[in-house]
Amino acid sequence: GDVGRGATPQLGAEATIRYLKAKLAVADEELSEAQEAHKGSADRAKELERRNRELEETSVRAAKASDAHRLKAEKLKQEASDKRKLAEGLERQLAAAIKDKEGTERAQREREQQGGAKDVRLNRALEEIEKYKRMVGESQSKANDTNDQTRRQLDAALADKKRLAKQKAELLAGFKKQMRLIDILKRQIIHLQAAKTLALTEQDFTKALEFGEQV
């Protein structure tokens, strides 16, 4: 440009016009280049602003994701702690269950041993019971036989008693008859003695005899 300004007074008007046109063309070209450069700068600025917004949004999302991951990590850590405590509690329960199981099995073995001894005693007791039941049955059978024999003896005794009672009644009847005969004989003797003593007539003696037979 300095060369152009120095050469301008030495040129003619036509040359000056051409020079100015050329210079204007250069200026237009430079302006266009500057405008293009400005436009490119504006586009780059917009692009950078867009990218900045995206980076900010990504940063926010990353921060949120980080918070979420942190919360999730804390939650997982708490769950792991709870599960560890649960596992420890389950292990204690398992140990206690194993101990109880061993105690139960030991008690079961002791009960089985005691039960075996009790079974032996029970079997012996049952054998004794069966023995006494047989003895009672035999005694009952003997008692029944004895009762039957006693009943037969009692029946025989009752029959003898009835027979003796009948004989006694018959004897009493015979004794009474004999007593009546004796009484008659006594009366006859008395009459005979009286006849001898009082010299009864034959007729009176006959009447006395008839009277005695009627009695």
Side-chain angles (χ1 to χ4, degrees):
D2 292 339
V3 175
R5 283 194 298 269
T8 297
Q10 296 176 3
L11 296 177
E14 189 174 332
T16 302
I17 291 171
R18 285 196 301 271
Y19 172 75
L20 291 174
K21 284 182 178 181
K23 191 174 183 179
L24 179 61
V26 172
D28 287 337
E29 185 178 353
E30 290 177 354
L31 178 60
S32 297
E33 290 177 356
Q35 288 176 346
E36 288 294 331
H38 177 71
K39 182 180 179 182
S41 298
D43 291 339
R44 285 195 298 273
K46 290 180 180 180
E47 178 67 19
L48 291 174
E49 185 178 355
R50 184 184 63 79
R51 291 180 63 185
N52 186 46
R53 285 196 303 270
E54 290 179 354
L55 288 173
E56 288 179 354
E57 292 175 356
T58 303
S59 177
V60 171
R61 287 195 298 271
K64 291 181 179 179
S66 176
D67 291 338
H69 287 307
R70 180 177 55 80
L71 293 175
K72 186 175 182 180
E74 291 178 355
K75 183 178 179 181
L76 292 174
K77 183 178 179 181
Q78 184 63 39
E79 289 179 354
S81 178
D82 294 339
K83 289 181 179 179
R84 184 173 60 255
K85 291 180 181 178
L86 179 61
E88 291 174 354
L90 291 175
E91 287 178 355
R92 288 193 296 270
Q93 292 180 6
L94 178 61
I98 292 173
K99 185 176 180 181
D100 291 340
K101 180 176 179 293
E102 292 175 351
T104 302
E105 291 176 349
R106 184 169 56 254
Q108 181 66 27
R109 289 193 298 271
E110 292 176 356
R111 282 196 298 270
E112 288 176 354
Q113 293 175 355
Q114 294 176 358
K118 289 181 179 178
D119 290 340
V120 172
R121 292 196 295 271
L122 179 60
N123 290 332
R124 290 177 181 174
L126 290 174
E127 291 175 357
E128 291 293 326
I129 291 172
E130 291 296 327
K131 177 181 177 181
Y132 287 118
K133 283 174 67 177
R134 287 194 300 271
M135 292 174 64
V136 169
E138 293 174 357
S139 299
Q140 187 67 37
S141 178
K142 290 180 181 180
N144 291 334
D145 294 340
T146 303
N147 289 334
D148 292 339
Q149 184 178 1
T150 303
R151 187 164 48 253
R152 288 193 296 271
Q153 291 176 354
L154 181 60
D155 292 339
L158 290 174
D160 291 340
K161 182 179 179 181
K162 290 181 180 179
R163 181 174 54 78
L164 292 173
K166 184 178 180 181
Q167 291 178 356
K168 181 179 179 181
E170 292 175 352
L171 289 173
L172 287 174
F175 179 73
K176 289 179 179 179
K177 186 176 181 181
Q178 290 177 357
M179 291 299 294
R180 285 196 298 271
L181 291 174
I182 291 170
D183 187 51
I184 292 170
L185 290 174
K186 284 183 178 179
R187 290 180 181 181
Q188 289 177 354
I189 291 171
I190 290 171
H191 282 294
L192 287 174
Q193 290 177 351
K196 290 180 180 180
T197 304
L198 300 174
L200 293 176
T201 63
E202 184 178 353
Q203 186 178 359
D204 293 332
F205 182 71
T206 304
K207 288 180 179 180
L209 292 175
E210 291 176 354
F211 175 77
E213 291 177 356
Q214 291 176 359
V215 174

